[in-house]
């Protein structure tokens, strides 16, 4: 005869919550100390086709800046290919230290060369930090930036840099349109790059003058990463550091007897120098200018180009009658200083009435 026995077990337990139960078990101390891991991350670089910053850089070439997105970025190298990616040449190694960011708003048009106290620029940095400087420090070269994008860089300097609660910086008390870049003050947009022009962290990349205006491929590779870890970026160096700045202060007179115009202007120098009682050096092997005469204020129809080897030119009555059918009391002109290497610089664009 088979018998079935039923057994019932009764358990008691507590919820594993600190308020109800505090464990007393102790773990054993580890036998080794772990290593601190850092993330290298990809590199970010900017190639700067900008005006001359140092006399030593008065040669074919351009500054470059490079940083990483991660705090543990160990440095990187910029490479160039002149054959469509077939071969690559390492150009410059960059340790950590470059300050690069982007603007979340944009500065409005400005006459340039002087302070803009009315505007402010909000920027976010990939790495690094900014700080305010005194006016003496500013004019000694601290807190100068390339602001914009390729083909429209403006050189600015900010006396005040204020850290915001969200980690961004607000730049104010800004010198605008420095180094002859007043023409670029009206061409900004949100998202424009901002590069601190710190001589210690920038690298200068030399090129052959014969390659000015020719596109090449570039890559920015983090130290230890493979060459294919970055996509190619096409960049064309146009020799901005070798271009003459625009002349200024157009003036002129009409001879009442001959109806000949005589135009005058003041040249500027690519070289950065401020010395009492000393004219800025020419910066070119010889003085050479071209003056374009236009039909009207649209500057669409060119009537004549005059040449000169000094800061003045004559526009004769005979030329005026040939170009316009009569003598002119208003002229619409563009004045260029010429470089033997890259030709015309930036123009002085103005009208004059007498």
């Amino acid at each position: 005869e088979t018998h079935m026995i039923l057994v019932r077990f009764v358990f008691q337990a507590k919820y594993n919550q600190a308020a109800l139960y505090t464990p007393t078990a102790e773990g054993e101390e580890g036998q080794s100390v772990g290593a601190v891991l850092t993330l290298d991350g990809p590199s970010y670089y900017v190639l700067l086709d900008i005006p001359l910053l140092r006399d030593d850089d008065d040669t074919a070439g351009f500054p470059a800046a490079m940083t990483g997105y991660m705090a543990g970025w160990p440095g990187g190298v910029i490479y160039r290919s002149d054959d469509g990616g077939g071969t690559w040449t390492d150009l410059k190694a960059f340790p950590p230290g470059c300050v690069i960011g982007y603007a979340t708003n944009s500065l409005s048009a400005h006459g340039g060369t002087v302070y803009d106290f009315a505007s402010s620029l909000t920027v976010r940095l990939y790495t690094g930090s900014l700080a305010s400087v005194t006016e003496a420090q500013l004019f000694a070269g601290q807190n100068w930036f390339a602001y914009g994008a390729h083909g429209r860089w403006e050189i600015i300097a900010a006396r005040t840099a204020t850290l915001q609660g969200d980690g961004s910086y607000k730049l104010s008390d800004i010198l605008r349109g420095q180094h002859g870049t007043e023409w670029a003050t009206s061409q900004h947009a949100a998202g424009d790059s901002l590069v601190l022009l710190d001589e210690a962290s920038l690298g200068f990349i030399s090129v052959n003058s014969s390659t000015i205006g020719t596109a090449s491929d570039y890559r920015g590779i983090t130290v230890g990463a493979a060459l294919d870890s970055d996509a190619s970026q096409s960049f064309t160096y146009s020799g901005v550091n070798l271009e003459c700045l625009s002349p200024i202060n157009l003036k002129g007179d009409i001879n009442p007897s001959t109806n000949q115009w005589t135009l005058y202007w003041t040249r500027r120098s690519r070289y950065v120098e401020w010395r009492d009682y000393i004219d800025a050096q020419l910066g070119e092997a010889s003085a050479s200018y071209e003056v374009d005469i236009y039909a009207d204020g649209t500057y669409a129809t060119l009537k004549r180009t005059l040449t000169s080897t000094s800061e003045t030119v004559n526009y004769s009555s005979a030329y005026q009658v040939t170009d316009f059918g009569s003598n002119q009391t208003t002229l619409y002109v563009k004045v260029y200083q010429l470089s033997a290497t890259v030709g015309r610089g930036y123009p002085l664009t103005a009208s004059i009435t007498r």
Side-chain angles (χ1 to χ4, degrees), residues 16 60 135 138 208 264 267 290:
N16 186 15
E135 190 166 79
L138 186 81
N208 293 325
Y264 312 87
R267 68 169 177 83
E290 289 183 348

Side-chain angles (χ1 to χ4, degrees), residues 6-154:
L6 298 178
V7 180
R8 184 175 67 174
F9 295 93
V10 178
F11 297 92
Q12 289 184 334
K14 296 181 178 180
Y15 288 108
N16 186 15
Q17 295 183 9
L20 302 177
Y21 172 70
T22 303
T24 60
E26 295 182 1
E28 182 180 353
E29 185 175 346
Q31 301 299 311
S32 62
V33 178
V36 176
L37 300 178
T38 58
L39 297 177
D40 293 349
S43 297
Y44 181 81
Y45 65 99
V46 182
L47 308 178
L48 296 166
D49 196 6
I50 58 176
L52 184 67
L53 300 179
R54 307 184 310 160
D55 292 358
D56 290 346
D57 297 337
D58 187 17
T59 185
F62 51 90
M66 192 177 196
T67 189
Y69 296 98
M70 303 294 186
W73 183 73
V77 179
I78 290 180
Y79 290 79
R80 180 181 66 225
S81 174
D82 297 319
D83 57 6
T87 58
W88 292 89
T89 303
D90 58 320
L91 303 175
K92 204 77 176 177
F94 292 81
C98 289
V99 176
I100 308 175
Y102 62 93
T104 60
N105 65 327
S106 62
L107 293 178
S108 58
H110 190 270
T113 72
V114 297
Y115 273 116
D116 181 357
F117 291 114
S119 303
S120 62
L121 187 67
T122 301
V123 300
R124 289 189 173 276
L125 305 179
Y126 298 119
T127 56
S129 61
L130 298 173
S132 298
V133 296
T134 66
E135 190 166 79
Q137 291 172 325
L138 186 81
F139 286 108
Q142 296 185 37
N143 271 15
W144 285 69
F145 304 90
Y147 163 51
H150 183 57
R152 54 178 181 85
W153 290 108
E154 179 188 356

Side-chain angles (χ1 to χ4, degrees), residues 224-295:
L227 184 59
D228 61 1
S229 63
D230 184 37
S232 299
Q233 175 187 156
S234 179
F235 174 77
T236 302
Y237 164 63
S238 61
V240 170
N241 63 318
L242 304 177
E243 289 190 38
C244 299
L245 306 189
S246 64
I248 57 174
N249 299 331
L250 179 69
K251 298 179 181 179
D253 299 296
I254 299 175
N255 187 305
S257 300
T258 65
N259 289 315
Q260 174 177 275
W261 272 93
T262 301
L263 299 175
Y264 312 87
W265 56 86
T266 302
R267 68 169 177 83
R268 292 193 285 178
S269 176
R270 293 182 297 114
Y271 288 90
V272 183
E273 54 182 14
W274 293 93
R275 291 185 289 168
D276 292 339
Y277 313 114
I278 302 294
D279 288 338
Q281 58 183 301
L282 179 63
E284 309 302 324
S286 61
S288 181
Y289 300 90
E290 289 183 348
V291 180
D292 287 347
I293 308 295
Y294 287 86

Side-chain angles (χ1 to χ4, degrees), residues 149-203:
H150 183 57
R152 54 178 181 85
W153 290 108
E154 179 188 356
I155 305 302
I156 66 173
R159 197 173 68 191
T160 304
T162 306
L163 179 63
Q164 306 297 292
D166 62 357
S168 64
Y169 285 87
K170 180 180 178 182
L171 304 183
S172 55
D173 305 328
I174 303 172
L175 281 175
R176 300 289 306 275
Q178 301 299 295
H179 296 270
T181 59
E182 65 279 351
W183 61 269
T185 64
S186 62
Q187 302 188 27
H188 294 298
D192 277 358
S193 294
L194 186 88
V195 181
L196 180 65
L197 300 176
D198 174 34
E199 182 179 332
S201 58
L202 294 179

